[in-house]
Amino acid sequence: RRLLAFRQAHPVFRTGDLTLQDAPEAVLAFTRDGEGERLLCLFNLGEATERVAADGALLPSGLGTERDGETVVLPPWTGAVLA
């Protein structure tokens, strides 16, 4: 429910342009641009923790990730959204 509420709070997920970004092999990374907002979405699809350098504030999406300085720490099968 929290993830659905998060998606509804950000219309860019419904109508924004999607652009794939470079990331480690196990990480799906893309931006959504539109509705006056630009979000970076990172999803770790692997079985090991991944660390990804990324700018922006980590939004409270309930996906189980954290920041370590300039790096986003993605445990296995989690994701992050940054603005």
Side-chain angles (χ1 to χ4, degrees):
R1 292 178 192 237
R2 286 188 301 180
L3 196 53
L4 289 174
F6 182 80
R7 183 179 184 269
Q8 290 197 352
H10 299 277
V12 69
F13 285 120
R14 292 187 299 281
T15 59
D17 293 329
L18 185 145
T19 305
L20 293 175
Q21 303 294 317
D22 290 331
E25 186 174 326
V27 176
L28 171 63
F30 59 88
T31 55
R32 294 298 302 250
D33 291 291
E35 301 293 325
E37 190 171 33
R38 182 175 194 261
L39 300 178
L40 172 63
C41 303
L42 303 168
F43 297 96
N44 182 358
L45 306 178
E47 296 181 8
T49 297
E50 295 284 345
R51 301 173 68 81
V52 180
D55 293 329
L58 186 61
L59 299 181
S61 60
L63 294 174
T65 56
E66 60 184 44
R67 282 210 76 115
D68 181 12
E70 298 294 317
T71 302
V72 178
V73 180
L74 298 163
W77 308 109
T78 62
V81 180
L82 296 94

